[in-house]
Amino acid sequence: MNENEIYQNIIMDNVYDKYNYKILENSIYKKGINHNCGDELTIYIVYDNDNNNIIKNISYYGDGCYISKASTNIMCNLIKGKTKKEAMEYIKIFLKMITGDSISKEDMNLLKDAKALQNIANIPYRVKCATLAWNTLKQIIEE
């Protein structure tokens, strides 16, 4: 199996993984819309009761294309348990990668499964699909 096939499997596994596809009670949430494609996803986060700086849980709900669903699920898995500062760093690295900017090998490894989406940078009309959830989470954290 070559690298592209591995990445395709990671993407498809995340499209069909429904663990993070739910509405979280008592959460902070924001809806993100990609008008180009029709993706509409709401991101839900719950901060830790003892430390409002830690994202205790994160989920999403809504409709989107395979790229947006995979990217969102991967983001949820990556961000859960991270501090706001760590989450913002992951968002920054992901957005650089997905827009075609070079990132270090170390940063690429931090992204774990999200690196499966790196070739989206070569498909400009899909970049918004891949970044929708990440930009929506960034807005939640910044508010």
Side-chain angles (χ1 to χ4, degrees):
M1 189 178 289
N2 68 35
E3 189 175 46
N4 284 335
E5 291 172 324
I6 292 169
Y7 287 164
Q8 286 175 346
N9 286 340
I10 290 170
I11 291 169
M12 294 312 293
D13 287 349
N14 278 281
V15 167
Y16 293 110
D17 178 8
K18 298 298 182 193
Y19 181 77
N20 295 311
Y21 187 76
K22 59 191 168 198
I23 297 171
L24 293 175
E25 298 295 322
N26 302 315
S27 62
I28 299 168
Y29 60 90
K30 186 165 194 68
K31 186 176 193 173
I33 300 172
N34 176 357
H35 296 287
N36 294 341
C37 172
D39 301 331
E40 291 190 19
L41 299 171
T42 302
I43 305 299
Y44 300 87
I45 63 171
V46 175
Y47 291 112
D48 187 281
N49 289 334
D50 297 327
N51 184 347
N52 197 37
N53 193 40
I54 296 174
I55 299 170
K56 180 179 178 181
N57 206 353
I58 181 170
S59 71
Y60 72 101
Y61 194 80
D63 294 314
C65 67
Y66 280 8
I67 297 298
S68 66
K69 285 182 179 180
S71 183
T72 305
N73 195 63
I74 289 168
M75 180 195 74
C76 289
N77 290 332
L78 192 62
I79 298 301
K80 198 173 296 177
K82 302 292 189 274
T83 65
K84 292 178 188 179
K85 183 178 179 181
E86 290 169 327
M88 291 299 281
E89 186 62 23
Y90 281 99
I91 292 166
K92 178 181 154 191
I93 294 167
F94 179 81
L95 294 176
K96 279 182 74 174
M97 177 196 73
I98 212 73
T99 56
D101 290 342
S102 64
I103 62 173
S104 70
K105 185 175 181 179
E106 181 181 279
D107 283 349
M108 184 66 82
N109 288 334
L110 281 175
L111 291 178
K112 298 182 181 178
D113 282 354
K115 65 184 171 186
L117 297 164
Q118 65 185 310
N119 287 330
I120 296 299
N122 300 321
I123 314 168
Y125 65 92
R126 297 306 243 165
V127 168
K128 286 186 179 180
C129 302
T131 60
L132 177 63
W134 299 79
N135 283 319
T136 304
L137 175 60
K138 182 180 178 195
Q139 291 172 11
I140 294 171
I141 293 171
E142 290 176 339
E143 289 178 354

